[in-house]
Amino acid sequence: MLINNGCKKMLAVKFLKNTLNNPLVLASGIRGTTAASLNYMAKKGCGAVTLKSVSVEAREGHPSPVIVSNKHYIINAVGLSNPSIAATTAEIAKFKSLNSTPLIVSVFARNIYEFTQAAEMLNSSPFDLLELNLSCPNVNQEFGQPLAYSSLAVGEIVKAVKAKTATPVSAKLSAQAWNIAEIAKAAEDNGADAITAVNTISGMVIDPKMRCPILSNKIGGISGPALFPIALRCVYEIYRAVKIPIIGTGGVTTGEDAMTMIMAGATLVGVGSAVYYRGAAAFKKIAAEMADFMQQEKIVSLDEIRGRYVSN
Ligand SMILES: Cc1cc2nc3c(=O)[nH]c(=O)nc-3n(C[C@H](O)[C@H](O)[C@H](O)COP(=O)(O)O)c2cc1C
């Protein structure tokens, strides 16, 4: 399971202006809420880490229960609880003083105005990529459908945010949009530097004996293994539509999952639920499995396989 220096080089990947030790990115919402938790996860072998989505106003999120899991999926309706952007900027600066791992800051907002406000509020913070969470599926009762369902909304938001920040921007999209590739293209055409695909997708669980939905919000977002083939299909479709890099996210729990995500076209691979299944050591385990796979299959670099086997 140990990765030697040769393998370390094999996993290194260029993403925008950064070179990452490996393509595995801590997905938003999984442990990364403070400088200390981001630093802890970065030291566990992430190539980059993502802050849990923050918004202009603080949010309490939904009441418990907010998460249910089994071996096939995790379903959550945390409801975007966060202490606000203003309360998080000191944590961002502190993380950057502790650790050189690239940092992605995820922001959630309900409309174009709030997204631009969020970008402006973060303008003096040191981080590497601004991820626009346009796709949370468990706050529809408050905000209506995710903005990621509309190529017009995604395009306009990306354009407005790009006008307010010098930091590269990624649009985080939803597999529930039937035309995700078209939406990714709208993001690219309006200046997005990357696409994050995908967020969780809506589902529900009912307790058969209690005869009621388990989550207080009734509906939550599905992540984990059940999401993997859906995420893979989305990355495959997006890769064929855009030139900007993709952070392929959804259900990756093993090295082979990560390798196939790259074969579908991802440059980086988001990992979230695997932390619940395999612990914080998930990153080192997945990286070691990738290195083993590459050695067995005589793959010298990730660039060699990206999008190669699934083109038209
Ligand atoms: C408990 C939990 C909280 C999440 N919170 C956020 C969030 O705040 N912002 C966001 O963009 N995605 C959030 N996500 C979605 C993940 O970032 C990721 O897109 C999704 O879980 C699919 O990846 P996975 O199957 O590897 O977990 C959350 C997921 C989980 C399980």
Side-chain angles (χ1 to χ4, degrees):
M1 276 295 184
L2 282 178
I3 309 185
N4 63 36
N5 278 338
C7 294
K8 272 188 187 159
K9 271 196 194 149
M10 285 167 133
L11 291 180
V13 58
K14 219 175 152 354
F15 179 78
L16 302 175
K17 287 185 184 149
N18 298 95
T19 299
L20 279 56
N21 290 335
N22 67 64
L24 304 175
V25 180
L26 176 71
S28 182
I30 319 292
R31 304 225 181 146
T33 52
T34 59
S37 57
L38 288 164
N39 188 35
Y40 175 80
M41 291 308 296
K43 284 183 171 169
K44 291 286 175 185
C46 306
V49 289
T50 311
L51 183 73
K52 176 166 174 57
S53 297
V54 285
S55 47
V56 172
E57 304 287 341
R59 287 181 52 80
E60 280 197 11
H62 299 310
S64 288
V66 293
I67 189 158
V68 178
S69 67
N70 63 29
K71 66 177 180 183
H72 304 296
Y73 59 80
I74 290 174
I75 179 163
N76 94 82
V78 171
L80 296 166
S81 59
N82 78 88
S84 81
I85 293 173
T88 311
T89 49
E91 295 296 317
I92 294 171
K94 191 169 169 197
F95 170 76
K96 275 297 189 186
S97 71
L98 292 171
N99 201 302
S100 59
T101 303
L103 173 64
I104 301 171
V105 170
S106 168
V107 292
F108 164 78
R110 60 188 103 194
N111 54 41
I112 190 167
Y113 171 70
E114 259 186 28
F115 268 111
T116 54
Q117 220 184 336
E120 281 179 318
M121 288 173 82
L122 285 161
N123 261 342
S124 46
S125 290
F127 61 97
D128 303 277
L129 181 70
L130 178 63
E131 187 171 89
L132 308 179
N133 177 2
L134 299 152
S135 46
C136 179
N138 65 52
V139 287
N140 295 17
Q141 281 175 6
E142 266 175 279
F143 305 129
Q145 286 191 345
L147 294 157
Y149 293 179
S150 155
S151 48
L152 189 67
V154 168
E156 282 183 354
I157 291 167
V158 168
K159 191 174 183 181
V161 168
K162 285 290 292 181
K164 298 286 180 190
T165 181
T167 306
V169 170
S170 182
K172 186 165 182 181
L173 302 184
S174 169
Q176 281 173 259
W178 64 271
N179 52 347
I180 192 166
E182 193 181 307
I183 292 170
K185 182 79 172 77
E188 180 184 53
D189 288 347
N190 284 283
D193 302 276
I195 299 292
T196 306
V198 291
N199 211 317
T200 55
I201 61 173
S202 315
M204 79 184 297
V205 274
I206 291 178
D207 183 318
K209 299 235 168 89
M210 298 293 286
R211 301 177 193 188
C212 68
I214 299 178
L215 297 171
S216 72
N217 189 56
K218 300 186 179 70
I219 289 171
I222 294 170
S223 61
L227 182 59
F228 179 67
I230 299 168
L232 200 64
R233 183 269 299 169
C234 289
V235 168
Y236 162 73
E237 289 181 356
I238 295 168
Y239 183 75
R240 300 194 310 169
V242 304
K243 302 235 168 339
I244 51 179
I246 305 165
I247 307 177
T249 306
V252 171
T253 58
T254 67
E256 285 198 13
D257 291 344
M259 294 304 292
T260 51
M261 195 59 107
I262 293 167
M263 289 176 191
T267 296
L268 301 185
V269 178
V271 175
S273 300
V275 175
Y276 292 93
Y277 291 106
R278 304 185 76 183
F283 289 88
K284 284 199 176 131
K285 290 177 184 167
I286 295 172
E289 289 161 5
M290 291 176 79
D292 281 351
F293 183 87
M294 290 174 79
Q295 278 179 328
Q296 279 160 23
E297 296 292 318
K298 304 195 176 15
I299 298 165
V300 176
S301 84
L302 296 173
D303 294 340
E304 188 185 314
I305 57 160
R306 183 168 309 106
R308 279 286 297 279
Y309 309 103
V310 289
S311 51
N312 288 332

